[in-house]
Amino acid sequence: VIASHLVTPEDIDVSWADIAGLDGVIQELRETVVLPVRHRELFRRSQLWRAPKGVLLHGPPGCGKTLIAKAIAKDAGMRFINLDVAVLTDKWYGESQKLATAVFTLAQKIQPCIIFIDEIESFLRMRGSGDHEATAMMKTQFMLQWDGLMSSANVCVLVLGATNRPQDLDKAILRRMPAQFHIGVPHDSQRQAILRLILQSEQLNPSVNLKELARLTPGFSGSDLRELCRHASMYRMRLFMRENLNMGEGASEGEFQWDFASKDQSLQ
Ligand code: ATP
């Protein structure tokens, strides 16, 4: 079951070039995580420069945490186990301690490897507080296995967690993830860079002004911006169909309208 969540670096479909506006954090991640893995022999002699065994990416939804996790794995040449918590705990219900052991055993066998846990707070939240006994045991086992990694310098396995709610992670977990990176809502120039990337292979009307579009979209995540562009292109496509192929309904003449105050809307 776990192997079906495994991807090799060659098959990872995201690289740094697919991420815009995050050059600073990417630079830090490359230095902290990627270089010590790619140059293990060099870094092995140093006590200070070791590949971390726990890294946390935190920030609001849709701002690039999953993209970054995959790009790290690709750049560092690491295999990538995407631990879908809901599926795995469900499938292994009652045997969840074995799940934790199996994940780490597999990761060590195929190292260098990233164990990626999205929404890590829901997996490892508040140990002991009202947990089902089996879940609590699985968490304890997970922590034990993780500690095993920390003590073995030659093992190149990284637990990479992502969360929108870092406040729900207990101190024991945060301690195991000393490297923490905030991936925030993009500001003006970051939005402009993201829009440029999303639209790079589209045929744009020369009147489209990305700087202005970025100015009009405060609070939009990368995912919101992609959605906005998708809606705009669908609008254009519907108009084209109607004008040229006598097909389709819904797009009226005139400008594409978007009420920028509200992201949650359909095309007008
Ligand atoms: P969640 O917390 O919901 O899992 P996330 O932070 O992991 O969100 P991603 O899944 O990495 O967000 O991003 C969602 C989509 O938004 C990406 O597939 C991409 O299309 C777009 N996107 C987000 N941020 C960026 C960015 N900085 N550059 C380019 N595309 C972006």
Side-chain angles (χ1 to χ4, degrees):
V1 175
I2 300 165
S4 67
H5 294 251
L6 172 69
V7 189
T8 58
E10 304 76 45
D11 289 334
I12 291 174
D13 54 358
V14 177
S15 71
W16 297 123
D18 300 308
I19 306 175
L22 292 171
D23 298 353
V25 81
I26 288 174
Q27 173 73 16
E28 269 189 73
L29 280 160
R30 294 198 70 203
E31 286 171 3
T32 316
V33 186
V34 176
L35 291 184
V37 174
R38 278 172 58 155
H39 304 284
R40 283 196 290 293
E41 289 311 316
L42 194 68
F43 285 92
R44 191 162 283 156
R45 277 176 248 129
S46 165
Q47 289 298 319
L48 297 173
W49 280 94
R50 285 270 165 88
K53 304 284 170 72
V55 170
L56 183 65
L57 305 175
H58 57 88
C63 293
K65 298 185 294 296
T66 307
L67 289 180
I68 287 176
K70 290 182 176 174
I72 290 174
K74 187 156 193 91
D75 191 8
M78 299 172 90
R79 295 199 169 94
F80 190 80
I81 298 176
N82 195 344
L83 209 57
D84 184 330
V85 176
V87 171
L88 288 177
T89 41
D90 197 36
K91 281 221 167 92
W92 290 63
Y93 193 74
E95 292 188 299
S96 41
Q97 268 179 294
K98 282 191 196 162
L99 161 67
T101 314
V103 169
F104 281 91
T105 308
L106 175 66
Q108 290 185 52
K109 206 175 264 178
I110 60 171
Q111 65 172 302
C113 180
I114 287 179
I115 301 171
F116 178 61
I117 311 175
D118 200 5
E119 295 180 24
I120 190 170
E121 82 290 349
S122 68
F123 182 48
L124 298 173
R125 179 169 23 202
M126 300 297 172
R127 284 185 307 149
S129 57
D131 276 344
H132 187 282
E133 198 186 338
T135 318
M137 275 157 61
M138 191 267 285
K139 289 176 193 169
T140 306
Q141 185 61 22
F142 192 92
M143 303 295 237
L144 275 173
Q145 294 283 338
W146 199 353
D147 288 343
L149 281 188
M150 310 263 184
S151 55
S152 37
N154 292 332
V155 175
C156 190
V157 174
L158 163 68
V159 176
L160 182 54
T163 181
N164 308 325
R165 304 181 55 81
Q167 70 275 16
D168 284 353
L169 283 165
D170 69 23
K171 288 208 173 66
I173 293 155
L174 292 172
R175 228 187 5 257
R176 289 170 172 84
M177 306 181 117
Q180 299 175 7
F181 298 85
H182 181 67
I183 317 297
V185 176
H187 53 64
D188 248 44
S189 65
Q190 289 174 308
R191 289 196 300 280
Q192 196 181 329
I194 294 172
L195 284 165
R196 196 176 306 115
L197 181 70
I198 293 172
L199 296 169
Q200 67 184 349
S201 51
E202 304 295 324
Q203 285 181 9
L204 288 187
N205 186 309
S207 69
V208 173
N209 181 338
L210 296 186
K211 192 170 180 189
E212 180 62 4
L213 198 47
R215 197 187 61 76
L216 284 165
T217 47
F220 277 52
S221 65
S223 163
D224 294 331
L225 291 172
R226 200 187 50 170
E227 210 37 29
L228 174 67
C229 295
R230 203 176 59 79
H231 273 280
S233 71
M234 273 170 53
Y235 173 85
R236 199 66 207 103
M237 183 61 77
R238 282 202 212 116
L239 265 189
F240 176 83
M241 297 282 204
R242 223 187 54 170
E243 285 166 9
N244 296 287
L245 307 170
N246 246 354
M247 283 169 63
E249 305 213 332
S252 55
E253 303 283 352
E255 299 286 299
F256 169 65
Q257 298 289 318
W258 185 278
D259 173 6
F260 287 101
S262 160
K263 289 183 271 172
D264 182 22
Q265 60 181 334
S266 54
L267 265 181
Q268 297 172 359

XYZ file of all heavy atoms in Angstrom, residues 130-181:
402
model
N -7.743 12.864 23.967
C -8.961 12.282 23.404
C -8.720 11.394 22.187
O -9.647 11.080 21.453
N -7.476 10.999 21.948
C -7.182 10.147 20.796
C -7.719 8.739 20.977
O -7.775 8.231 22.075
C -5.663 10.019 20.615
C -5.107 11.173 19.845
O -5.886 11.895 19.211
O -3.888 11.347 19.889
N -8.056 8.150 19.866
C -8.328 6.724 19.890
C -7.010 6.033 20.242
O -5.940 6.461 19.810
C -8.821 6.290 18.507
C -9.296 4.885 18.469
N -8.436 3.821 18.423
C -10.550 4.375 18.503
C -9.149 2.709 18.415
N -10.434 3.016 18.459
N -7.126 4.937 20.992
C -5.905 4.286 21.496
C -4.971 3.859 20.358
O -3.753 4.079 20.417
C -6.304 3.072 22.327
C -5.189 2.601 23.224
C -5.574 1.297 23.925
O -6.783 1.024 24.027
O -4.653 0.583 24.323
N -5.563 3.285 19.292
C -4.731 2.792 18.181
C -3.976 3.937 17.514
O -2.805 3.805 17.153
C -5.606 2.077 17.161
N -4.659 5.067 17.365
C -4.013 6.228 16.727
C -2.872 6.732 17.598
O -1.791 7.069 17.108
C -5.042 7.363 16.519
O -6.247 6.798 16.056
C -4.534 8.391 15.564
N -3.132 6.775 18.893
C -2.106 7.247 19.819
C -0.878 6.338 19.757
O 0.266 6.819 19.743
C -2.665 7.293 21.230
N -1.135 5.006 19.662
C -0.007 4.068 19.595
C 0.771 4.250 18.291
O 1.987 4.148 18.265
C -0.518 2.625 19.713
C -0.683 2.218 21.178
S -1.851 0.877 21.415
C -1.126 -0.439 20.507
N 0.033 4.515 17.226
C 0.695 4.728 15.936
C 1.597 5.966 15.994
O 2.729 5.948 15.525
C -0.368 4.896 14.843
C 0.157 4.869 13.440
S 0.524 6.489 12.853
C -1.115 7.089 12.569
N 1.073 7.013 16.622
C 1.879 8.237 16.739
C 3.144 7.981 17.550
O 4.234 8.425 17.174
C 1.063 9.334 17.420
C -0.034 9.878 16.545
C -0.830 10.882 17.336
C -2.121 11.235 16.621
N -3.001 12.004 17.490
N 2.971 7.243 18.652
C 4.145 6.952 19.486
C 5.173 6.175 18.673
O 6.371 6.473 18.706
C 3.717 6.123 20.722
O 2.663 6.837 21.365
C 4.864 5.912 21.677
N 4.679 5.202 17.913
C 5.580 4.395 17.092
C 6.266 5.265 16.029
O 7.454 5.142 15.772
C 4.778 3.262 16.436
C 5.610 2.266 15.641
C 6.631 1.550 16.515
O 6.484 1.463 17.734
N 7.690 1.053 15.910
N 5.475 6.168 15.445
C 6.010 7.071 14.424
C 7.156 7.898 15.004
O 8.226 8.027 14.404
C 4.887 7.986 13.906
C 5.246 8.743 12.663
C 4.966 8.245 11.402
C 5.894 9.975 12.748
C 5.309 8.945 10.249
C 6.249 10.678 11.614
C 5.954 10.162 10.360
N 6.926 8.420 16.212
C 7.962 9.243 16.867
C 9.210 8.411 17.174
O 10.332 8.881 16.992
C 7.435 9.834 18.172
C 6.196 10.658 18.010
S 6.501 12.120 17.046
C 5.973 13.335 18.198
N 8.983 7.182 17.604
C 10.127 6.311 17.924
C 10.973 6.065 16.682
O 12.207 6.161 16.703
C 9.633 4.960 18.452
C 9.318 4.883 19.938
C 8.677 3.542 20.281
C 10.611 5.073 20.738
N 10.281 5.747 15.577
C 10.980 5.492 14.319
C 11.736 6.739 13.861
O 12.856 6.669 13.380
C 9.970 5.087 13.231
C 9.280 3.777 13.485
C 10.189 2.594 13.178
O 11.141 2.711 12.419
N 9.893 1.463 13.779
N 11.090 7.856 14.024
C 11.670 9.142 13.622
C 12.934 9.409 14.440
O 13.975 9.810 13.907
C 10.623 10.228 13.852
C 10.825 11.514 13.113
C 11.898 11.886 12.357
C 9.902 12.606 13.070
N 11.700 13.143 11.846
C 10.478 13.603 12.266
C 8.643 12.844 13.626
C 9.840 14.821 12.016
C 8.011 14.043 13.375
C 8.607 15.026 12.573
N 12.851 9.143 15.731
C 14.021 9.331 16.591
C 15.161 8.408 16.169
O 16.335 8.769 16.255
C 13.656 9.076 18.059
C 12.791 10.201 18.593
O 12.764 11.276 17.964
O 12.136 10.002 19.637
N 14.795 7.219 15.707
C 15.804 6.278 15.205
C 16.578 6.900 14.055
O 17.803 6.784 13.959
N 15.873 7.613 13.201
C 16.522 8.301 12.065
C 17.522 9.336 12.553
O 18.627 9.460 12.041
C 15.497 9.111 11.280
C 14.552 8.496 10.291
C 13.820 9.622 9.577
C 15.330 7.678 9.295
N 17.066 10.095 13.567
C 17.887 11.217 14.065
C 19.238 10.714 14.548
O 20.240 11.394 14.408
C 17.197 11.924 15.244
C 15.773 12.287 14.980
S 15.610 13.988 14.447
C 13.843 14.119 14.333
N 19.216 9.514 15.134
C 20.460 9.052 15.741
C 21.372 8.347 14.735
O 22.502 8.008 15.065
C 20.163 8.135 16.927
O 19.330 7.099 16.500
N 20.886 8.116 13.501
C 21.789 7.453 12.548
C 22.230 8.415 11.450
O 21.433 8.791 10.586
C 21.129 6.210 11.949
O 19.768 6.442 11.744
N 23.488 8.801 11.535
C 24.024 9.828 10.638
C 24.035 9.371 9.175
O 23.975 10.191 8.268
C 25.435 10.195 11.077
N 24.108 8.049 8.941
C 24.246 7.578 7.565
C 22.922 7.378 6.837
O 22.916 7.056 5.659
C 25.020 6.259 7.532
C 26.455 6.490 7.938
O 26.986 7.584 7.734
N 27.060 5.495 8.568
N 21.829 7.567 7.546
C 20.530 7.367 6.905
C 20.043 8.691 6.337
O 20.026 9.707 7.040
C 19.501 6.825 7.926
C 18.121 6.738 7.286
C 19.934 5.473 8.436
N 19.658 8.679 5.065
C 19.226 9.929 4.437
C 17.716 9.876 4.174
O 17.276 9.639 3.047
C 20.018 10.145 3.150
S 19.756 11.775 2.490
N 16.970 10.038 5.245
C 15.499 10.066 5.150
C 15.026 11.334 5.842
O 15.455 11.646 6.954
C 14.864 8.828 5.827
C 13.349 8.956 5.856
C 15.276 7.552 5.105
N 14.140 12.064 5.153
C 13.634 13.323 5.699
C 12.120 13.250 5.852
O 11.422 12.872 4.908
C 13.995 14.464 4.724
C 13.239 15.787 4.880
C 13.622 16.475 6.179
C 13.528 16.707 3.694
N 11.629 13.590 7.049
C 10.184 13.744 7.224
C 9.863 15.204 6.916
O 10.338 16.111 7.597
C 9.738 13.393 8.664
C 8.238 13.656 8.826
C 10.060 11.948 8.994
N 9.105 15.400 5.845
C 8.758 16.762 5.414
C 7.267 16.965 5.645
O 6.439 16.301 5.009
C 9.117 16.904 3.928
C 8.889 18.234 3.241
C 9.560 19.377 3.972
C 9.420 18.178 1.809
N 6.940 17.833 6.591
C 5.532 18.047 6.931
C 5.032 19.367 6.375
O 5.790 20.323 6.243
N 3.749 19.411 6.027
C 3.131 20.665 5.608
C 1.870 20.884 6.429
O 1.161 19.921 6.751
C 2.781 20.614 4.121
N 1.627 22.126 6.774
C 0.424 22.409 7.573
C -0.073 23.835 7.380
O 0.707 24.744 7.137
C 0.690 22.164 9.077
O -0.510 22.419 9.800
C 1.776 23.057 9.630
N -1.393 23.986 7.479
C -1.984 25.331 7.514
C -2.168 25.768 8.959
O -2.553 26.900 9.215
C -3.398 25.336 6.897
C -3.432 24.727 5.533
O -2.480 24.872 4.781
N -4.513 24.042 5.199
N -1.984 24.827 9.884
C -2.302 25.105 11.292
C -1.142 24.699 12.200
O -1.261 23.743 12.971
C -3.564 24.342 11.693
C -4.788 24.638 10.800
C -6.004 23.869 11.274
N -6.298 24.123 12.668
C -6.950 25.176 13.120
N -7.381 26.086 12.283
N -7.176 25.337 14.400
N 0.002 25.404 12.098
C 1.155 24.999 12.908
C 0.859 25.058 14.413
O 1.467 24.328 15.188
C 2.242 26.011 12.526
C 1.542 27.145 11.870
C 0.282 26.599 11.279
N -0.115 25.893 14.785
C -0.448 26.020 16.214
C -1.038 24.732 16.784
O -1.069 24.545 18.000
C -1.395 27.212 16.452
C -2.819 27.049 15.920
C -2.963 27.423 14.436
O -1.978 27.525 13.714
N -4.195 27.608 13.979
N -1.501 23.827 15.896
C -2.074 22.559 16.372
C -1.017 21.464 16.547
O -1.355 20.340 16.902
C -3.130 22.048 15.374
C -4.426 22.827 15.500
O -4.521 23.652 16.435
O -5.324 22.618 14.671
N 0.232 21.795 16.239
C 1.294 20.782 16.407
C 1.895 20.898 17.800
O 2.202 22.004 18.251
C 2.392 21.011 15.363
C 2.042 20.528 13.962
C 3.001 21.125 12.945
C 2.082 19.013 13.882
N 2.068 19.764 18.460
C 2.604 19.876 19.819
C 4.126 20.066 19.791
O 4.782 19.896 18.757
C 2.128 18.732 20.723
C 2.710 17.403 20.339
O 3.779 17.387 19.703
O 2.112 16.372 20.668
N 4.647 20.429 20.955
C 6.063 20.823 21.023
C 6.988 19.681 20.651
O 8.043 19.885 20.054
C 6.382 21.309 22.445
C 5.785 22.650 22.773
C 6.649 23.380 23.819
C 6.188 24.789 24.038
N 4.841 24.895 24.660
N 6.585 18.458 20.994
C 7.442 17.302 20.711
C 7.687 17.171 19.211
O 8.789 16.822 18.776
C 6.780 16.038 21.243
N 6.671 17.483 18.434
C 6.821 17.378 16.974
C 7.634 18.557 16.443
O 8.541 18.388 15.628
C 5.441 17.322 16.305
C 4.757 16.009 16.692
C 5.562 17.415 14.792
C 3.273 16.083 16.626
N 7.300 19.738 16.918
C 8.026 20.920 16.443
C 9.522 20.792 16.731
O 10.362 21.207 15.934
C 7.454 22.187 17.096
C 6.032 22.543 16.641
C 5.466 23.683 17.473
C 6.017 22.918 15.162
N 9.852 20.159 17.866
C 11.260 19.955 18.211
C 11.963 19.058 17.195
O 13.149 19.223 16.914
C 11.342 19.312 19.599
C 12.316 19.997 20.512
C 12.582 19.344 21.838
N 11.981 18.070 22.086
C 10.902 17.873 22.854
N 10.287 18.898 23.400
N 10.432 16.656 23.050
N 11.212 18.120 16.649
C 11.809 17.211 15.658
C 11.907 17.861 14.269
O 12.422 17.250 13.337
C 11.005 15.915 15.580
C 11.181 15.035 16.815
C 10.196 13.893 16.806
N 10.447 12.936 17.865
C 10.009 13.050 19.115
N 9.316 14.110 19.478
N 10.272 12.121 20.008
N 11.316 19.046 14.137
C 11.370 19.760 12.855
C 12.008 21.124 13.068
O 11.343 22.164 12.986
C 9.953 19.918 12.306
C 9.219 18.612 12.197
S 7.572 18.832 11.531
C 7.724 17.906 10.043
N 13.323 21.133 13.335
C 13.964 22.413 13.660
C 13.984 23.377 12.466
O 14.020 24.589 12.663
C 15.382 22.016 14.080
C 15.599 20.651 13.523
C 14.255 20.009 13.357
N 13.961 22.838 11.261
C 13.956 23.729 10.095
C 12.506 23.985 9.691
O 11.797 23.065 9.288
C 14.721 23.083 8.945
N 12.077 25.239 9.853
C 10.681 25.579 9.552
C 10.633 26.764 8.594
O 11.364 27.733 8.764
C 9.937 25.915 10.847
C 9.922 24.735 11.795
C 9.296 25.045 13.133
O 8.747 26.127 13.342
N 9.392 24.105 14.056
N 9.767 26.656 7.599
C 9.698 27.691 6.568
C 8.256 28.142 6.396
O 7.363 27.306 6.241
C 10.238 27.152 5.237
C 11.673 26.744 5.309
C 12.023 25.469 5.756
C 12.678 27.637 4.981
C 13.356 25.089 5.848
C 14.014 27.266 5.078
C 14.358 25.998 5.503
